[in-house]
Amino acid sequence: MERLESHSSDVGGLPIRRALPNRGRRSIGAWVFLDHAGPADLNGRGMNVAPHPHTGLATFSWLIEGEILHRDSLGTEQLLRPGQVNLMTAGRGIAHSEESRSERLHLAQLWIALPDEARFCAPAFEHHPTLPRRAIDGFDIVLLAGEWLGRTSPVSTWTPMLGADLSCEGAARTVLPLRPLFEHGLMALEGELRVNGETLVPGELLYLEPGYESLDLRTRGPARLLLLGGTPWPHPPLLWWNFVGRTREEIEHFATEWNTLSGDFAGVQVSGYAGERLLAPPVPPISNR
Ligand code: MN
């Protein structure tokens, strides 16, 4: 077991806690990026992320409170509401914008790395208005991705993985099965929990290496937990800005094509967004070693 601290950052004016990538850990299964925002009052400022590109990943947005308007270069315009998931598969290239449409916001936004055979696929978008739920021992469990507890999430995945949101309104205790072939990550989103005897509060990510067969959860009050899992990724992919690739040359190619709207980004634009798109900054020396 390993405890990782998330670091503070800012996305489109919204303060966030970034738990992945982390100095101590690059991925949990195919989950390579994890931002947690809120629960927070936006005080009239709001989140406004101008059109920007992605490659080689799927963005996964899980909304707990508030409303977010998503627009992308496929022509999608989708309002995301509490209890819903947006999954945007970038494949060889997509662009999107995100704007809050509410006074309060609570959100987890993740990236799923695509395996080699899928990373240049055609871009796609999925909106999931409802997800499988189970009530167990006082916990309300929403299955976000994968198969668990006899339920299967409708959200597309490319490699064996798990995502679940577990919340309770008061003191609760349960023991749930885990797949020992998976590594797991647990992020407290609200309240304080005990996970297999370890205390966990918001801002912390607890990493469980493969081999765990169960999860022992206890809370003394209201709490919410995000559970991620998957088979360990053999070679962590290279992440830079909004791109996932394998080499620096490849990332530079993606950045050039986006900035000049050529190649896979020829004609890629987000209609309906009032404002300029974000351009990729110069690519620094980077490597995934
Ligand atoms: Mn994005």
Side-chain angles (χ1 to χ4, degrees), residues 24-42:
R25 180 143 294 277
R26 311 271 289 277
S27 56
I28 295 167
W31 301 104
V32 292
F33 188 91
L34 166 54
D35 273 358
H36 175 220
D41 225 306
L42 300 176

Side-chain angles (χ1 to χ4, degrees), residues 26 32 53-57 90-93 111 113-114 119-120 236-260 262 264-265 279-289:
R26 311 271 289 277
V32 292
H54 287 291
T55 57
L57 60 89
R92 58 180 172 258
W111 294 358
L114 299 179
R119 68 192 190 100
F120 294 114
L238 188 57
L239 268 71
W240 179 77
W241 196 51
N242 292 300
F243 303 121
V244 171
R246 298 293 183 266
T247 63
R248 183 183 182 279
E249 291 65 36
E250 197 176 71
I251 298 279
E252 194 153 40
H253 180 75
F254 297 149
T256 302
E257 288 198 338
W258 165 251
N259 284 352
T260 59
S262 62
D264 286 322
F265 283 107
L279 291 178
V283 185
I286 43 170
S287 86
N288 52 352
R289 286 175 196 287

Side-chain angles (χ1 to χ4, degrees), residues 49 52-54 59 88 96 98 109 111 242:
V49 187
H52 60 280
H54 287 291
T59 61
M88 184 185 77
H96 73 145
E98 293 158 295
Q109 195 160 48
W111 294 358
N242 292 300

Side-chain angles (χ1 to χ4, degrees), residues 78-245:
Q78 180 67 56
L79 196 60
L80 184 64
R81 295 194 167 93
Q84 303 183 340
V85 163
N86 277 355
L87 183 82
M88 184 185 77
T89 306
R92 58 180 172 258
I94 199 167
H96 73 145
S97 64
E98 293 158 295
E99 297 162 85
S100 57
R101 286 285 188 264
S102 52
E103 274 307 302
R104 287 182 58 79
L105 207 59
H106 190 191
L107 154 86
Q109 195 160 48
L110 300 103
W111 294 358
I112 298 169
L114 299 179
D116 282 339
E117 63 274 17
R119 68 192 190 100
F120 294 114
C121 68
F125 177 82
E126 295 172 14
H127 173 68
H128 296 280
T130 58
L131 292 148
R133 298 183 97 99
R134 282 199 65 175
I136 299 179
D137 299 334
F139 284 91
D140 178 24
I141 302 174
V142 184
L143 184 59
L144 302 176
E147 282 178 47
W148 196 41
L149 308 173
R151 300 284 190 275
T152 302
S153 164
V155 175
S156 291
T157 55
W158 294 263
T159 54
M161 60 189 293
L162 171 67
D165 179 286
L166 300 94
S167 60
C168 58
E169 289 176 356
R173 158 109 204 256
T174 192
V175 177
L176 301 168
L178 293 180
R179 234 184 272 194
L181 289 179
F182 279 9
E183 56 184 358
H184 293 90
L186 297 119
M187 173 102 167
L189 301 183
E190 286 179 280
E192 185 183 311
L193 298 110
R194 280 184 83 76
V195 179
N196 291 8
E198 294 284 320
T199 302
L200 195 63
V201 296
E204 293 179 339
L205 177 72
L206 201 61
Y207 171 76
L208 308 186
E209 65 272 20
Y212 282 83
E213 291 179 351
S214 63
L215 191 61
D216 183 335
L217 287 182
R218 294 170 202 227
T219 71
R220 287 202 204 123
R224 183 181 291 271
L225 178 77
L226 185 65
L227 168 65
L228 305 175
T231 45
W233 202 264
H235 306 284
L238 188 57
L239 268 71
W240 179 77
W241 196 51
N242 292 300
F243 303 121
V244 171

